[in-house]
Amino acid sequence: MKQFKHLMPVLAAALLMLSCTKEGPEGPQGPQGNPGPQGAAGATGAAGATGPAGTANVIYSAWLSFQQAQRDSTIDNSKLKVNHIPAAQLTQAIIDNGVVLVYIRFLTSVMQLPYTSYAGSKANTVSFLPKPGRIFVTRFTHDNSGSLGFGAVQFRYILVPGGVAAGRYAAETEKKLTINGGTYTVSQLKAMSYDQVSALLNIPE
């Protein structure tokens, strides 16, 4: 009997341990806790590569008519009709390092200057001389009579600044301009049609 009395506490402890290890049903999910403080911002990443040059710096005019009467002039004994169109953004830097393109429009035809034709029944050439702030337009009649004026025509200029000077080698005799990631010489730009130049430089009609 004494031995049984000593076993009772042991049996009671074992039953208590068994009842404590039995897993009950999962309780309902508690409410979400408040968000913690925001962490510090990460380090700034490395700068990306520079994209190709665009045409944002290209300057172009509307189609312009002369605002003053033409006049007679003589250059190197050549008799000329002369007029001018304003070009306030034309600088000496653009003349020296960029490219100046001028177009003449008669009705729906557009030609790049200098332009030679038999308009007026005489061979003649319409050309231009860029100066800071204005562009002089000339018409030379090949018989040196200075007899043909300009008539009802309009002009548009396109200025592309930022050219790269010619190289030191004989083959590199022209300025080069970077446009939309491509490199063009002045001769290549002048060999393009008006529509090609407008598309390249994103110039609207």
Side-chain angles (χ1 to χ4, degrees):
M1 192 69 175
K2 273 185 178 183
Q3 190 174 7
F4 180 74
K5 286 182 179 180
H6 288 298
L7 288 175
M8 286 293 292
V10 175
L11 291 173
L15 289 173
L16 180 63
M17 291 178 62
L18 288 173
S19 65
C20 288
T21 58
K22 184 177 180 182
E23 185 177 351
E26 184 178 355
Q29 182 176 355
Q32 183 175 356
N34 295 326
Q38 184 175 357
T44 303
T50 302
T55 56
N57 59 345
V58 171
I59 302 163
Y60 58 90
S61 72
W63 285 104
L64 303 172
S65 300
F66 291 131
Q67 299 301 304
Q68 57 284 315
Q70 64 188 11
R71 51 202 180 273
D72 294 312
S73 184
T74 301
I75 300 177
D76 292 337
N77 292 321
S78 299
K79 296 178 181 179
L80 305 169
K81 294 293 186 186
V82 179
N83 214 320
H84 71 271
I85 53 177
Q89 293 174 281
L90 176 56
T91 63
Q92 191 63 49
I94 293 176
I95 295 172
D96 293 340
N97 302 315
V99 62
V100 179
L101 302 173
V102 181
Y103 297 87
I104 183 173
R105 181 172 73 174
F106 177 69
L107 299 178
T108 59
S109 298
V110 178
M111 291 75 65
Q112 185 181 163
L113 300 188
Y115 173 67
T116 298
S117 73
Y118 282 85
S121 301
K122 291 184 179 181
N124 66 92
T125 299
V126 181
S127 191
F128 71 96
L129 297 169
K131 298 290 183 182
R134 63 176 61 185
I135 297 173
F136 290 94
V137 182
T138 65
R139 189 168 196 173
F140 172 66
T141 307
H142 292 192
D143 63 5
N144 204 26
S145 64
S147 57
L148 291 179
F150 294 100
V153 292
Q154 291 182 308
F155 299 90
R156 164 175 270 182
Y157 62 79
I158 299 173
L159 313 178
V160 188
V164 178
R168 294 174 294 175
Y169 302 102
E172 298 181 1
T173 58
E174 285 193 274
K175 291 177 290 187
K176 298 176 182 178
L177 296 101
T178 300
I179 301 170
N180 293 335
T183 302
Y184 301 85
T185 65
V186 175
S187 292
Q188 287 174 321
L189 290 174
K190 290 185 175 181
M192 295 180 183
S193 69
Y194 172 73
D195 289 340
Q196 290 173 323
V197 170
S198 297
L200 176 66
L201 301 179
N202 300 316
I203 295 175
E205 178 53 40

